[in-house]
């Protein structure tokens, strides 16, 4: 799985496809596949009742399970439903592209995603880093930020920084605000200055947690870096 | 959109706009390192930056009249 990548990719997608997609929809699409699944992967305690998938990685990425959320067809289905309900091309296309970006990013770990579901339940995976969701949130974070996963996040951070204009007020006013009705709704509650902070929020969240997890894993704790393919060596990635 | 040289943007106004994010980022990273649960929720992360960069300054401006 990827971490800050899902927060940062939408800015680059908006930069190139902004005429056709809503940034907000791309961002929600990019977060969507994990919003409905991660809590059950890591486990959650509700009133003393512990809820967790019997096989977290299979639940997250396979079928039977919620792995269909990480497929190209799921993006198309969500887009179709949203288009029928709202008639908004920007929102339906944005959600589809966001979900696709998420599913395509996640093929890089050892578990991979069922990109071609429902036509095939085969998971496509490139094994660049270990899928360690089964080890719990913190060990998962430690493994990811000790492997090529952190470099993948770093690549997307660099991409946004190279395209830093997407974060400016001028860009927000010219390219984001007028094209997406979502911001008109937000504008009924928040002034433009607050809308700009909200727009930059995912960049802030992705960047700061990328830095914080690195410090947590390698300064506060002493997890070994392993930037070899499939790393880190000290954890067995789910397949 | 016309591209301005980066040097033209590194002025007082630009730095003044960047400063609240840097301060908020420093606080969020520090809290996150010692309380990593804070790094797990994008709702809390975006809520924090909205509060730190816009909400608190707006409240201070309001109280000052």
């Amino acid at each position: 799985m990827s971490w800050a990548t899902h927060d940062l990719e939408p800015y680059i997608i908006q930069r190139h496809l902004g005429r056709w997609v809503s940034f907000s929809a791309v961002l929600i699409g990019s977060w969507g596949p994990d919003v409905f699944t991660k809590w059950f992967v890591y486990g959650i305690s509700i009133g003393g009742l512990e809820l967790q998938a019997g096989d977290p990685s299979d639940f997250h990425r396979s079928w039977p399970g919620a792995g269909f959320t990480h497929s190209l067809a799921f993006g198309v289905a969500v887009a179709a439903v949203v288009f029928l309900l709202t008639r908004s091309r920007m929102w339906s296309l944005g959600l589809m592209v966001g979900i696709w970006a998420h599913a395509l990013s996640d093929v890089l770990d050892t578990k991979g995603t069922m990109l071609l579901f429902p036509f095939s339940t085969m998971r496509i995976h490139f094994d660049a880093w270990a899928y360690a969701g089964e080890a719990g949130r913190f060990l998962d974070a430690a493994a990811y930020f000790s492997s090529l996963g952190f470099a993948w996040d770093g690549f997307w951070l660099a991409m946004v920084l190279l395209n830093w204009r997407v974060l400016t007020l001028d860009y927000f006013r010219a390219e984001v605000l007028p094209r997406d009705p979502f911001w008109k709704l937000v504008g009924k509650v928040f002034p433009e200055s607050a809308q700009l902070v909200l727009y930059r929020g995912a960049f802030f969240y992705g960047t700061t947690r990328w830095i914080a997890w690195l410090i947590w894993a390698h300064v506060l704790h002493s997890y070994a870096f392993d930037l070899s393919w499939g790393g880190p060596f000290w954890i067995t990635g789910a397949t | 959109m016309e591209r301005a040289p980066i040097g033209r943007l590194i002025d007082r106004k630009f730095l003044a706009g960047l400063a609240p994010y840097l301060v908020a980022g420093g606080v969020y990273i520090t809290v996150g390192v010692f309380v990593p649960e804070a790094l797990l929720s994008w709702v809390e992360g975006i809520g924090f930056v909205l509060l730190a960069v816009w909400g608190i300054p707006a409240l201070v401006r309001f109280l000052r009249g």
Side-chain angles (χ1 to χ4, degrees), chain A residues 15 164-165 193 200 205 208, chain B residues 3-4 9 21 28 39 54:
Chain A
R15 172 85 174 77
W164 55 274
R165 285 178 182 83
S193 55
R200 291 170 172 167
Y205 178 59
T208 51
Chain B
R3 292 193 167 198
L9 294 170
Y21 289 94
Y28 191 70
L39 302 171
W54 176 77

Side-chain angles (χ1 to χ4, degrees), chain A residues 3-229:
Chain A
W3 288 57
T5 294
H6 301 316
D7 310 321
L8 301 170
E9 278 177 332
Y11 292 94
I12 301 304
I13 292 170
Q14 202 285 333
R15 172 85 174 77
H16 293 283
L17 300 177
R19 191 175 294 179
W20 298 284
V21 299
S22 149
F23 170 80
S24 318
V26 174
L27 186 60
I28 290 169
S30 181
W31 284 336
D34 281 350
V35 165
F36 299 108
T37 55
K38 276 277 193 77
W39 62 275
F40 202 48
V41 171
Y42 291 136
I44 191 170
S45 178
I46 302 174
L49 182 67
E50 298 289 332
L51 294 172
Q52 186 177 21
D55 187 328
S57 69
D58 272 347
F59 167 77
H60 190 198
R61 298 287 182 78
S62 299
W63 179 262
F68 66 88
T69 57
H70 291 62
S71 67
L72 300 178
F74 181 68
V76 173
V78 169
V81 169
V82 169
F83 184 74
L84 287 173
L85 291 174
T86 67
R87 299 285 163 188
S88 170
R89 283 186 189 172
M90 289 199 89
W91 264 79
S92 52
L93 279 177
L95 286 165
M96 184 180 77
V97 170
I99 291 168
W100 283 8
H102 185 116
L104 288 166
S105 291
D106 281 359
V107 300
L108 290 171
D109 63 31
T110 53
K111 191 75 179 178
T113 60
M114 299 189 298
L115 279 184
L116 303 177
F117 184 87
F119 307 106
S120 168
T121 56
M122 181 187 74
R123 278 178 280 101
I124 297 168
H125 52 94
F126 290 95
D127 304 340
W129 56 83
Y131 176 106
E134 295 175 316
R137 291 177 196 274
F138 297 119
L139 207 48
D140 186 15
Y144 183 79
F145 287 95
S146 300
S147 70
L148 283 173
F150 109 87
W152 180 236
D153 279 1
F155 167 78
W156 286 104
L157 175 57
M159 288 296 288
V160 178
L161 291 175
L162 285 170
N163 290 276
W164 55 274
R165 285 178 182 83
V166 299
L167 299 171
T168 61
L169 175 61
D170 288 346
Y171 185 90
F172 180 66
R173 277 180 178 161
E175 307 291 333
V176 181
L177 205 55
R179 290 180 178 166
D180 186 353
F182 168 79
W183 295 103
K184 282 181 188 161
L185 283 176
V186 176
K188 290 180 179 175
V189 180
F190 292 109
E192 186 191 61
S193 55
Q195 292 176 54
L196 180 65
V197 178
L198 281 173
Y199 168 69
R200 291 170 172 167
F203 174 76
F204 175 88
Y205 178 59
T207 305
T208 51
R209 73 175 180 148
W210 185 75
I211 296 168
W213 278 122
L214 281 172
I215 296 171
W216 177 85
H218 302 292
V219 178
L220 202 63
H221 300 278
S222 300
Y223 293 103
F225 264 117
D226 177 10
L227 300 184
S228 63
W229 201 259

Side-chain angles (χ1 to χ4, degrees), chain B:
Chain B
M1 181 186 291
E2 188 187 343
R3 292 193 167 198
I6 195 165
R8 269 170 49 192
L9 294 170
I10 309 294
D11 57 14
R12 268 189 179 181
K13 196 178 169 188
F14 178 76
L15 289 176
L18 192 64
Y21 289 94
L22 292 176
V23 173
V27 172
Y28 191 70
I29 289 167
T30 305
V31 170
V33 167
F34 294 102
V35 189
E37 288 84 355
L39 302 171
L40 295 168
S41 165
W42 56 265
V43 175
E44 290 171 18
I46 293 178
F48 173 82
V49 71
L50 184 65
L51 191 69
V53 174
W54 176 77
I56 293 173
L59 182 66
V60 170
R61 280 194 300 273
F62 175 77
L63 291 175
R64 281 182 177 173

